[in-house]
Structures are given as structure tokens and as C-alpha cells.
Amino acid sequence: MQLQVVTFSEVKDGNAPDEWQDGASGGVAGDGTGTARFIVLDGATGAFDAVRWVDQLVTSFVPQPSTQPSTQPGAGHAGPRLEPAAMRAWFERMQDQWAADVPAFDSVIEEEKFRKVGSFATFLGFEITGLDGPEPFWRAVALGDTVLFHVRAGRLITTFPPLRAGEFTSNPAGLHTKRSSLDEMTERLLAGSGVLAAGDFLFAATDAMADWMLGAAGRDEAKLWDTLAGLAHPDVFARLVEDQRNEQDGAKRMKNDDVTLMRLRVLADQPSFVLACR
């Protein structure tokens, strides 16, 4: 089977494009194993240099080509295995790398924030295996409220982590740069899995988007999945986000925050065309 993947994103209203603090990446491994790996992160507002922390995690987690020279940390490997011991070791390695890569500080206050506050991001990492067989299988690990939705024939099969609309808080679990958080992160790490079929969709969304999706599914599930499945251009996604951030029926349906939506569709055959958005 084949995967069709596209990622949409939109910054918080009032921010510049380079202030986007989410992260999303992944793809099919080039080793012929029928495996794909993906990561979606939401860097915390108020953390120290959340963009750098997110970039470090993305670079280390997703497959990196070992045949091409790279100066990026983590290049030349396929990322950590999605099991508790391997994930803990990865958390620790990421914290060590963060501590070692000390930036040039512009002020004493900035240096203190680096050392005492550190950085933080919610985390969703998932793999799809068995793409070379009849029943691909997804496995995921998560910390926090970046959510994976498994949709089949216009119906939601699984939400991972199993959050509901309105359960998103300002203090979610996530990946922290502080070594004192290592045990807690390991204990709070969640795992999920599911079997895929041709035509299925996986949607991975950061918190503001995920919360809105769960609320919209409760109002009209068929319309929601049809809308998201049909998104074909970043401008269309931007208009959707803008509309939902605006007040409707006396309330804003989508929180004004950075939003990211990764959409994966499982296809029985190679798609007949490729859509590239710029």
C-alpha cells in the first residue's frame, strides 16, 4: 500500500510566519521495509527557544538518510524504538544534547531562563509498518495533547491520546529539557496502536486544532472529515482556521494558537497524480 501525506500549518493570529513553534515531519523509510515514521510537536509559548527544541526533536526522531553527509544532530539513524526503555533513553539523550548546545545569550535574564525554565513541547510520534502487506499497522507514543485521529469511511475509529473536546488544558504533559522531569515523562508516556485499511485517514493535530476537531465531530462528524479530507491548498486551510477563530454563536470555536494538521491517507495503489503546494 501507499501513503499520501500533506501537512498544513498556520501561525497564531498576529504572529509572523517564522514565529510558528510547532513541528511536523516524517515519511517512508528508504530501506524497503514498508515502514514510515512521523512526528508532530507543539512548542510551548513562554519556554526558552521552543523552536530550537522542536527542531532538535524532529531531526532526531524521523528517519535521516545515512548516505548523505549531514551536520544535523541525529542524522544517519532511524530514531528511537517506540517502547518505554528506548524512549526514556531518547529523552535523556535529547536533554543532554540540549544542555551541551549552549547558545550565545543576549542577556543575563535570557541565560537564567535557559538554565531554570528550559524548553518544552507536547509530543506525538508514530510509525506505520507493513505497508508492503495487506494490513498496515500504526503504533504511536504521546506526551500531552497533540492528537492522532484514525478515520475510516467518514467515522472516527480511534483518538490517541483519548481526549475529548474541552479536556485540553494549559498545563499538558510533554517533553521537557530539565533532567528532573525524566522520570515523570517516562511514567506519563502513552502508547496506542491500530490496524489500517485502504482508504483510511490518519490526522495528527496540535492542541487548538485537535480540540476544534473533536468539537466539530460532535456537531457533524461526516461534514468534518469530508472537509479535512478535501483540503487541497494551504490558503484553504488558512481560511478555515481564520473562520473558526472568529466568533460564532457568541463563542470562538478555535483557540487562537499555532495550529498544525498532518493528513495521511492509505491508498491501495500509487496515486495517479501528486499535488504540490507552495
Side-chain angles (χ1 to χ4, degrees):
M1 294 191 185
Q2 305 290 329
L3 285 179
Q4 187 182 64
V5 185
V6 63
T7 299
F8 300 97
S9 64
E10 188 68 18
V11 296
K12 182 178 181 179
D13 190 26
N15 284 2
D18 61 0
E19 294 179 283
W20 181 64
Q21 293 184 323
D22 292 351
S25 186
V28 178
D31 55 8
T33 60
T35 300
R37 169 173 283 222
F38 302 90
I39 184 172
V40 180
L41 300 142
D42 182 0
T45 301
F48 178 82
D49 203 354
V51 172
R52 184 166 68 90
W53 178 231
V54 165
D55 288 347
Q56 177 187 309
L57 295 170
V58 167
T59 302
S60 177
F61 188 86
V62 299
Q64 299 292 320
S66 58
T67 56
Q68 298 178 7
S70 176
T71 59
Q72 293 297 315
H77 66 84
R81 297 187 307 278
L82 306 188
E83 54 189 46
M87 291 304 301
R88 180 187 175 89
W90 183 67
F91 296 161
E92 190 170 9
R93 189 166 69 250
M94 291 299 94
Q95 291 176 335
D96 287 345
Q97 182 179 319
W98 171 266
D101 295 342
V102 181
F105 300 110
D106 293 331
S107 67
V108 174
I109 294 175
E110 193 175 73
E111 182 176 1
E112 186 139 319
K113 188 173 182 181
F114 169 81
R115 301 194 185 284
K116 292 188 176 181
V117 178
S119 201
F120 177 89
T122 63
F123 161 71
L124 171 69
F126 60 102
E127 285 183 340
I128 299 175
T129 58
L131 286 167
D132 51 354
E135 287 190 332
F137 187 86
W138 66 264
R139 293 191 307 149
V141 288
L143 275 169
D145 51 15
T146 294
V147 180
L148 185 69
F149 300 81
H150 182 182
V151 177
R152 177 175 296 159
R155 298 296 301 272
L156 180 62
I157 295 176
T158 304
T159 304
F160 173 78
L163 292 168
R164 294 179 294 183
E167 291 185 339
F168 295 75
T169 70
S170 60
N171 188 33
L175 296 183
H176 205 293
T177 57
K178 294 175 68 174
R179 181 53 59 86
S180 60
S181 66
L182 183 58
D183 288 341
E184 182 181 6
M185 292 191 306
T186 305
E187 291 169 2
R188 298 182 72 176
L189 184 70
L190 299 177
S193 61
V195 176
L196 293 162
D200 284 6
F201 284 91
L202 292 177
F203 296 95
T206 51
D207 61 337
M209 187 74 194
D211 193 17
W212 173 80
M213 288 166 66
L214 288 166
R219 293 188 293 272
D220 190 338
E221 183 176 20
K223 180 180 178 181
L224 170 68
W225 305 125
D226 185 60
T227 297
L228 297 185
L231 289 173
H233 195 278
D235 288 348
V236 178
F237 179 75
R239 287 196 296 272
L240 170 67
V241 170
E242 182 181 4
D243 288 345
Q244 297 307 310
R245 283 174 177 169
N246 292 331
E247 188 169 303
Q248 299 182 36
D249 303 323
K252 293 182 179 181
R253 288 183 171 172
M254 186 182 293
K255 177 184 175 183
N256 182 24
D257 193 5
D258 290 345
V259 292
T260 299
L261 177 69
M262 179 184 286
R263 183 185 70 204
L264 299 87
R265 186 179 185 184
V266 182
L267 302 172
D269 301 301
Q270 187 73 21
S272 58
F273 64 92
V274 174
L275 176 65
C277 298
R278 298 185 62 184

PDB file of all heavy atoms in Angstrom, residues 143-173:
ATOM      1  N   LEU A 143       3.026  12.330  24.569  1.00  0.00           N
ATOM      2  CA  LEU A 143       3.044  13.071  25.820  1.00  0.00           C
ATOM      3  C   LEU A 143       2.323  14.385  25.565  1.00  0.00           C
ATOM      4  O   LEU A 143       2.779  15.208  24.764  1.00  0.00           O
ATOM      5  CB  LEU A 143       4.478  13.350  26.277  1.00  0.00           C
ATOM      6  CG  LEU A 143       5.188  12.250  27.078  1.00  0.00           C
ATOM      7  CD1 LEU A 143       6.665  12.577  27.220  1.00  0.00           C
ATOM      8  CD2 LEU A 143       4.544  12.090  28.452  1.00  0.00           C
ATOM      9  N   GLY A 144       1.167  14.546  26.192  1.00  0.00           N
ATOM     10  CA  GLY A 144       0.454  15.800  26.034  1.00  0.00           C
ATOM     11  C   GLY A 144      -0.748  15.705  25.126  1.00  0.00           C
ATOM     12  O   GLY A 144      -1.334  14.643  24.937  1.00  0.00           O
ATOM     13  N   ASP A 145      -1.100  16.844  24.532  1.00  0.00           N
ATOM     14  CA  ASP A 145      -2.370  16.949  23.823  1.00  0.00           C
ATOM     15  C   ASP A 145      -2.219  17.206  22.321  1.00  0.00           C
ATOM     16  O   ASP A 145      -3.067  17.862  21.713  1.00  0.00           O
ATOM     17  CB  ASP A 145      -3.244  18.023  24.458  1.00  0.00           C
ATOM     18  CG  ASP A 145      -2.527  19.364  24.629  1.00  0.00           C
ATOM     19  OD1 ASP A 145      -1.450  19.544  24.007  1.00  0.00           O
ATOM     20  OD2 ASP A 145      -3.042  20.227  25.363  1.00  0.00           O
ATOM     21  N   THR A 146      -1.155  16.690  21.727  1.00  0.00           N
ATOM     22  CA  THR A 146      -1.103  16.574  20.268  1.00  0.00           C
ATOM     23  C   THR A 146      -1.707  15.220  19.939  1.00  0.00           C
ATOM     24  O   THR A 146      -1.296  14.199  20.498  1.00  0.00           O
ATOM     25  CB  THR A 146       0.332  16.699  19.752  1.00  0.00           C
ATOM     26  OG1 THR A 146       0.802  18.036  20.024  1.00  0.00           O
ATOM     27  CG2 THR A 146       0.419  16.446  18.258  1.00  0.00           C
ATOM     28  N   VAL A 147      -2.694  15.193  19.048  1.00  0.00           N
ATOM     29  CA  VAL A 147      -3.607  14.046  18.948  1.00  0.00           C
ATOM     30  C   VAL A 147      -3.587  13.407  17.565  1.00  0.00           C
ATOM     31  O   VAL A 147      -3.500  14.097  16.545  1.00  0.00           O
ATOM     32  CB  VAL A 147      -5.043  14.496  19.296  1.00  0.00           C
ATOM     33  CG1 VAL A 147      -6.020  13.332  19.210  1.00  0.00           C
ATOM     34  CG2 VAL A 147      -5.084  15.098  20.700  1.00  0.00           C
ATOM     35  N   LEU A 148      -3.710  12.063  17.557  1.00  0.00           N
ATOM     36  CA  LEU A 148      -3.841  11.288  16.323  1.00  0.00           C
ATOM     37  C   LEU A 148      -5.277  10.803  16.199  1.00  0.00           C
ATOM     38  O   LEU A 148      -5.834  10.223  17.140  1.00  0.00           O
ATOM     39  CB  LEU A 148      -2.888  10.094  16.359  1.00  0.00           C
ATOM     40  CG  LEU A 148      -2.810   9.243  15.080  1.00  0.00           C
ATOM     41  CD1 LEU A 148      -2.142  10.036  13.952  1.00  0.00           C
ATOM     42  CD2 LEU A 148      -2.037   7.955  15.345  1.00  0.00           C
ATOM     43  N   PHE A 149      -5.886  11.043  15.034  1.00  0.00           N
ATOM     44  CA  PHE A 149      -7.251  10.606  14.744  1.00  0.00           C
ATOM     45  C   PHE A 149      -7.201   9.548  13.647  1.00  0.00           C
ATOM     46  O   PHE A 149      -6.626   9.790  12.583  1.00  0.00           O
ATOM     47  CB  PHE A 149      -8.113  11.775  14.245  1.00  0.00           C
ATOM     48  CG  PHE A 149      -8.255  12.915  15.219  1.00  0.00           C
ATOM     49  CD1 PHE A 149      -7.260  13.882  15.340  1.00  0.00           C
ATOM     50  CD2 PHE A 149      -9.398  13.043  15.989  1.00  0.00           C
ATOM     51  CE1 PHE A 149      -7.397  14.947  16.218  1.00  0.00           C
ATOM     52  CE2 PHE A 149      -9.550  14.112  16.878  1.00  0.00           C
ATOM     53  CZ  PHE A 149      -8.544  15.060  16.996  1.00  0.00           C
ATOM     54  N   HIS A 150      -7.822   8.396  13.867  1.00  0.00           N
ATOM     55  CA  HIS A 150      -7.925   7.347  12.850  1.00  0.00           C
ATOM     56  C   HIS A 150      -9.358   7.329  12.344  1.00  0.00           C
ATOM     57  O   HIS A 150     -10.302   7.073  13.101  1.00  0.00           O
ATOM     58  CB  HIS A 150      -7.544   5.989  13.454  1.00  0.00           C
ATOM     59  CG  HIS A 150      -7.561   4.850  12.487  1.00  0.00           C
ATOM     60  ND1 HIS A 150      -7.286   3.553  12.854  1.00  0.00           N
ATOM     61  CD2 HIS A 150      -7.822   4.803  11.151  1.00  0.00           C
ATOM     62  CE1 HIS A 150      -7.369   2.760  11.798  1.00  0.00           C
ATOM     63  NE2 HIS A 150      -7.707   3.505  10.751  1.00  0.00           N
ATOM     64  N   VAL A 151      -9.529   7.609  11.048  1.00  0.00           N
ATOM     65  CA  VAL A 151     -10.859   7.759  10.451  1.00  0.00           C
ATOM     66  C   VAL A 151     -11.028   6.757   9.326  1.00  0.00           C
ATOM     67  O   VAL A 151     -10.147   6.605   8.466  1.00  0.00           O
ATOM     68  CB  VAL A 151     -11.050   9.199   9.915  1.00  0.00           C
ATOM     69  CG1 VAL A 151     -12.392   9.345   9.224  1.00  0.00           C
ATOM     70  CG2 VAL A 151     -10.911  10.208  11.056  1.00  0.00           C
ATOM     71  N   ARG A 152     -12.173   6.077   9.313  1.00  0.00           N
ATOM     72  CA  ARG A 152     -12.486   5.109   8.254  1.00  0.00           C
ATOM     73  C   ARG A 152     -13.913   5.336   7.770  1.00  0.00           C
ATOM     74  O   ARG A 152     -14.849   5.369   8.571  1.00  0.00           O
ATOM     75  CB  ARG A 152     -12.339   3.672   8.760  1.00  0.00           C
ATOM     76  CG  ARG A 152     -12.710   2.592   7.731  1.00  0.00           C
ATOM     77  CD  ARG A 152     -12.416   1.201   8.269  1.00  0.00           C
ATOM     78  NE  ARG A 152     -10.976   1.053   8.496  1.00  0.00           N
ATOM     79  CZ  ARG A 152     -10.457   0.121   9.322  1.00  0.00           C
ATOM     80  NH1 ARG A 152     -11.252  -0.693   9.996  1.00  0.00           N
ATOM     81  NH2 ARG A 152      -9.149   0.035   9.451  1.00  0.00           N
ATOM     82  N   ALA A 153     -14.054   5.508   6.460  1.00  0.00           N
ATOM     83  CA  ALA A 153     -15.373   5.677   5.840  1.00  0.00           C
ATOM     84  C   ALA A 153     -16.178   6.788   6.536  1.00  0.00           C
ATOM     85  O   ALA A 153     -17.379   6.649   6.778  1.00  0.00           O
ATOM     86  CB  ALA A 153     -16.151   4.360   5.862  1.00  0.00           C
ATOM     87  N   GLY A 154     -15.502   7.884   6.848  1.00  0.00           N
ATOM     88  CA  GLY A 154     -16.188   9.024   7.436  1.00  0.00           C
ATOM     89  C   GLY A 154     -16.537   8.888   8.900  1.00  0.00           C
ATOM     90  O   GLY A 154     -17.298   9.704   9.430  1.00  0.00           O
ATOM     91  N   ARG A 155     -15.983   7.887   9.582  1.00  0.00           N
ATOM     92  CA  ARG A 155     -16.260   7.690  11.003  1.00  0.00           C
ATOM     93  C   ARG A 155     -14.972   7.605  11.795  1.00  0.00           C
ATOM     94  O   ARG A 155     -14.006   6.965  11.370  1.00  0.00           O
ATOM     95  CB  ARG A 155     -17.078   6.395  11.226  1.00  0.00           C
ATOM     96  CG  ARG A 155     -18.438   6.378  10.565  1.00  0.00           C
ATOM     97  CD  ARG A 155     -19.373   7.446  11.133  1.00  0.00           C
ATOM     98  NE  ARG A 155     -19.592   7.280  12.557  1.00  0.00           N
ATOM     99  CZ  ARG A 155     -20.542   6.519  13.087  1.00  0.00           C
ATOM    100  NH1 ARG A 155     -21.356   5.823  12.277  1.00  0.00           N
ATOM    101  NH2 ARG A 155     -20.685   6.440  14.384  1.00  0.00           N
ATOM    102  N   LEU A 156     -14.969   8.252  12.958  1.00  0.00           N
ATOM    103  CA  LEU A 156     -13.795   8.229  13.829  1.00  0.00           C
ATOM    104  C   LEU A 156     -13.709   6.882  14.534  1.00  0.00           C
ATOM    105  O   LEU A 156     -14.629   6.480  15.253  1.00  0.00           O
ATOM    106  CB  LEU A 156     -13.891   9.357  14.855  1.00  0.00           C
ATOM    107  CG  LEU A 156     -12.739   9.477  15.854  1.00  0.00           C
ATOM    108  CD1 LEU A 156     -11.424   9.764  15.132  1.00  0.00           C
ATOM    109  CD2 LEU A 156     -13.035  10.573  16.877  1.00  0.00           C
ATOM    110  N   ILE A 157     -12.578   6.170  14.328  1.00  0.00           N
ATOM    111  CA  ILE A 157     -12.359   4.873  14.969  1.00  0.00           C
ATOM    112  C   ILE A 157     -11.629   5.041  16.294  1.00  0.00           C
ATOM    113  O   ILE A 157     -12.005   4.445  17.307  1.00  0.00           O
ATOM    114  CB  ILE A 157     -11.549   3.939  14.043  1.00  0.00           C
ATOM    115  CG1 ILE A 157     -12.353   3.613  12.786  1.00  0.00           C
ATOM    116  CG2 ILE A 157     -11.144   2.664  14.766  1.00  0.00           C
ATOM    117  CD1 ILE A 157     -11.586   2.777  11.793  1.00  0.00           C
ATOM    118  N   THR A 158     -10.566   5.848  16.281  1.00  0.00           N
ATOM    119  CA  THR A 158      -9.715   5.993  17.458  1.00  0.00           C
ATOM    120  C   THR A 158      -9.215   7.421  17.578  1.00  0.00           C
ATOM    121  O   THR A 158      -8.886   8.059  16.572  1.00  0.00           O
ATOM    122  CB  THR A 158      -8.485   5.058  17.363  1.00  0.00           C
ATOM    123  OG1 THR A 158      -8.920   3.716  17.186  1.00  0.00           O
ATOM    124  CG2 THR A 158      -7.637   5.145  18.626  1.00  0.00           C
ATOM    125  N   THR A 159      -9.150   7.897  18.804  1.00  0.00           N
ATOM    126  CA  THR A 159      -8.466   9.140  19.125  1.00  0.00           C
ATOM    127  C   THR A 159      -7.347   8.808  20.102  1.00  0.00           C
ATOM    128  O   THR A 159      -7.596   8.195  21.144  1.00  0.00           O
ATOM    129  CB  THR A 159      -9.418  10.155  19.778  1.00  0.00           C
ATOM    130  OG1 THR A 159     -10.532  10.380  18.928  1.00  0.00           O
ATOM    131  CG2 THR A 159      -8.709  11.468  20.023  1.00  0.00           C
ATOM    132  N   PHE A 160      -6.119   9.177  19.763  1.00  0.00           N
ATOM    133  CA  PHE A 160      -4.990   8.895  20.635  1.00  0.00           C
ATOM    134  C   PHE A 160      -4.113  10.143  20.772  1.00  0.00           C
ATOM    135  O   PHE A 160      -3.695  10.708  19.758  1.00  0.00           O
ATOM    136  CB  PHE A 160      -4.143   7.740  20.073  1.00  0.00           C
ATOM    137  CG  PHE A 160      -2.873   7.530  20.861  1.00  0.00           C
ATOM    138  CD1 PHE A 160      -2.907   6.872  22.073  1.00  0.00           C
ATOM    139  CD2 PHE A 160      -1.657   8.032  20.405  1.00  0.00           C
ATOM    140  CE1 PHE A 160      -1.741   6.705  22.828  1.00  0.00           C
ATOM    141  CE2 PHE A 160      -0.495   7.869  21.148  1.00  0.00           C
ATOM    142  CZ  PHE A 160      -0.544   7.202  22.359  1.00  0.00           C
ATOM    143  N   PRO A 161      -3.859  10.556  22.031  1.00  0.00           N
ATOM    144  CA  PRO A 161      -4.432  10.090  23.298  1.00  0.00           C
ATOM    145  C   PRO A 161      -5.957  10.286  23.330  1.00  0.00           C
ATOM    146  O   PRO A 161      -6.488  11.104  22.579  1.00  0.00           O
ATOM    147  CB  PRO A 161      -3.755  10.992  24.342  1.00  0.00           C
ATOM    148  CG  PRO A 161      -2.527  11.505  23.690  1.00  0.00           C
ATOM    149  CD  PRO A 161      -2.876  11.653  22.244  1.00  0.00           C
ATOM    150  N   PRO A 162      -6.640   9.528  24.189  1.00  0.00           N
ATOM    151  CA  PRO A 162      -8.109   9.525  24.189  1.00  0.00           C
ATOM    152  C   PRO A 162      -8.712  10.747  24.865  1.00  0.00           C
ATOM    153  O   PRO A 162      -9.361  10.653  25.904  1.00  0.00           O
ATOM    154  CB  PRO A 162      -8.450   8.233  24.947  1.00  0.00           C
ATOM    155  CG  PRO A 162      -7.303   8.046  25.881  1.00  0.00           C
ATOM    156  CD  PRO A 162      -6.083   8.532  25.123  1.00  0.00           C
ATOM    157  N   LEU A 163      -8.500  11.916  24.272  1.00  0.00           N
ATOM    158  CA  LEU A 163      -9.038  13.153  24.816  1.00  0.00           C
ATOM    159  C   LEU A 163     -10.405  13.444  24.211  1.00  0.00           C
ATOM    160  O   LEU A 163     -10.735  12.980  23.121  1.00  0.00           O
ATOM    161  CB  LEU A 163      -8.092  14.312  24.511  1.00  0.00           C
ATOM    162  CG  LEU A 163      -6.733  14.286  25.224  1.00  0.00           C
ATOM    163  CD1 LEU A 163      -5.799  15.324  24.606  1.00  0.00           C
ATOM    164  CD2 LEU A 163      -6.893  14.524  26.716  1.00  0.00           C
ATOM    165  N   ARG A 164     -11.175  14.259  24.920  1.00  0.00           N
ATOM    166  CA  ARG A 164     -12.462  14.729  24.425  1.00  0.00           C
ATOM    167  C   ARG A 164     -12.447  16.249  24.326  1.00  0.00           C
ATOM    168  O   ARG A 164     -11.608  16.902  24.945  1.00  0.00           O
ATOM    169  CB  ARG A 164     -13.596  14.261  25.355  1.00  0.00           C
ATOM    170  CG  ARG A 164     -13.794  12.750  25.370  1.00  0.00           C
ATOM    171  CD  ARG A 164     -14.899  12.346  26.314  1.00  0.00           C
ATOM    172  NE  ARG A 164     -14.555  12.640  27.710  1.00  0.00           N
ATOM    173  CZ  ARG A 164     -15.338  12.322  28.753  1.00  0.00           C
ATOM    174  NH1 ARG A 164     -16.500  11.726  28.550  1.00  0.00           N
ATOM    175  NH2 ARG A 164     -14.952  12.628  29.978  1.00  0.00           N
ATOM    176  N   ALA A 165     -13.367  16.782  23.551  1.00  0.00           N
ATOM    177  CA  ALA A 165     -13.457  18.238  23.414  1.00  0.00           C
ATOM    178  C   ALA A 165     -13.608  18.878  24.791  1.00  0.00           C
ATOM    179  O   ALA A 165     -14.361  18.394  25.634  1.00  0.00           O
ATOM    180  CB  ALA A 165     -14.636  18.608  22.524  1.00  0.00           C
ATOM    181  N   GLY A 166     -12.859  19.946  25.026  1.00  0.00           N
ATOM    182  CA  GLY A 166     -12.931  20.639  26.300  1.00  0.00           C
ATOM    183  C   GLY A 166     -11.975  20.125  27.354  1.00  0.00           C
ATOM    184  O   GLY A 166     -11.865  20.709  28.432  1.00  0.00           O
ATOM    185  N   GLU A 167     -11.265  19.006  27.078  1.00  0.00           N
ATOM    186  CA  GLU A 167     -10.327  18.449  28.051  1.00  0.00           C
ATOM    187  C   GLU A 167      -8.900  18.976  27.874  1.00  0.00           C
ATOM    188  O   GLU A 167      -7.996  18.557  28.587  1.00  0.00           O
ATOM    189  CB  GLU A 167     -10.322  16.924  27.965  1.00  0.00           C
ATOM    190  CG  GLU A 167     -11.600  16.266  28.442  1.00  0.00           C
ATOM    191  CD  GLU A 167     -11.526  14.751  28.467  1.00  0.00           C
ATOM    192  OE1 GLU A 167     -10.658  14.181  27.762  1.00  0.00           O
ATOM    193  OE2 GLU A 167     -12.339  14.138  29.172  1.00  0.00           O
ATOM    194  N   PHE A 168      -8.707  19.883  26.943  1.00  0.00           N
ATOM    195  CA  PHE A 168      -7.382  20.434  26.692  1.00  0.00           C
ATOM    196  C   PHE A 168      -7.107  21.548  27.707  1.00  0.00           C
ATOM    197  O   PHE A 168      -7.913  22.458  27.873  1.00  0.00           O
ATOM    198  CB  PHE A 168      -7.296  20.964  25.267  1.00  0.00           C
ATOM    199  CG  PHE A 168      -7.414  19.876  24.228  1.00  0.00           C
ATOM    200  CD1 PHE A 168      -8.637  19.287  23.943  1.00  0.00           C
ATOM    201  CD2 PHE A 168      -6.299  19.428  23.539  1.00  0.00           C
ATOM    202  CE1 PHE A 168      -8.749  18.285  22.997  1.00  0.00           C
ATOM    203  CE2 PHE A 168      -6.389  18.426  22.587  1.00  0.00           C
ATOM    204  CZ  PHE A 168      -7.612  17.853  22.320  1.00  0.00           C
ATOM    205  N   THR A 169      -5.959  21.461  28.370  1.00  0.00           N
ATOM    206  CA  THR A 169      -5.637  22.401  29.440  1.00  0.00           C
ATOM    207  C   THR A 169      -4.400  23.220  29.074  1.00  0.00           C
ATOM    208  O   THR A 169      -3.737  22.975  28.056  1.00  0.00           O
ATOM    209  CB  THR A 169      -5.357  21.650  30.759  1.00  0.00           C
ATOM    210  OG1 THR A 169      -4.105  20.937  30.645  1.00  0.00           O
ATOM    211  CG2 THR A 169      -6.478  20.660  31.063  1.00  0.00           C
ATOM    212  N   SER A 170      -4.075  24.160  29.922  1.00  0.00           N
ATOM    213  CA  SER A 170      -2.890  24.994  29.704  1.00  0.00           C
ATOM    214  C   SER A 170      -1.636  24.358  30.286  1.00  0.00           C
ATOM    215  O   SER A 170      -0.555  24.943  30.195  1.00  0.00           O
ATOM    216  CB  SER A 170      -3.108  26.380  30.336  1.00  0.00           C
ATOM    217  OG  SER A 170      -3.330  26.245  31.737  1.00  0.00           O
ATOM    218  N   ASN A 171      -1.766  23.156  30.878  1.00  0.00           N
ATOM    219  CA  ASN A 171      -0.613  22.508  31.508  1.00  0.00           C
ATOM    220  C   ASN A 171      -0.553  21.019  31.116  1.00  0.00           C
ATOM    221  O   ASN A 171      -0.645  20.140  31.983  1.00  0.00           O
ATOM    222  CB  ASN A 171      -0.695  22.657  33.029  1.00  0.00           C
ATOM    223  CG  ASN A 171       0.553  22.174  33.729  1.00  0.00           C
ATOM    224  OD1 ASN A 171       1.659  22.288  33.182  1.00  0.00           O
ATOM    225  ND2 ASN A 171       0.389  21.620  34.923  1.00  0.00           N
ATOM    226  N   PRO A 172      -0.379  20.723  29.828  1.00  0.00           N
ATOM    227  CA  PRO A 172      -0.351  19.326  29.404  1.00  0.00           C
ATOM    228  C   PRO A 172       1.000  18.675  29.708  1.00  0.00           C
ATOM    229  O   PRO A 172       1.976  19.353  30.032  1.00  0.00           O
ATOM    230  CB  PRO A 172      -0.565  19.429  27.896  1.00  0.00           C
ATOM    231  CG  PRO A 172       0.090  20.733  27.545  1.00  0.00           C
ATOM    232  CD  PRO A 172      -0.203  21.649  28.700  1.00  0.00           C
ATOM    233  N   ALA A 173       1.034  17.353  29.591  1.00  0.00           N
ATOM    234  CA  ALA A 173       2.315  16.645  29.660  1.00  0.00           C
ATOM    235  C   ALA A 173       3.107  16.961  28.392  1.00  0.00           C
ATOM    236  O   ALA A 173       2.551  17.450  27.401  1.00  0.00           O
ATOM    237  CB  ALA A 173       2.083  15.142  29.782  1.00  0.00           C
TER     238      ALA A 173
END
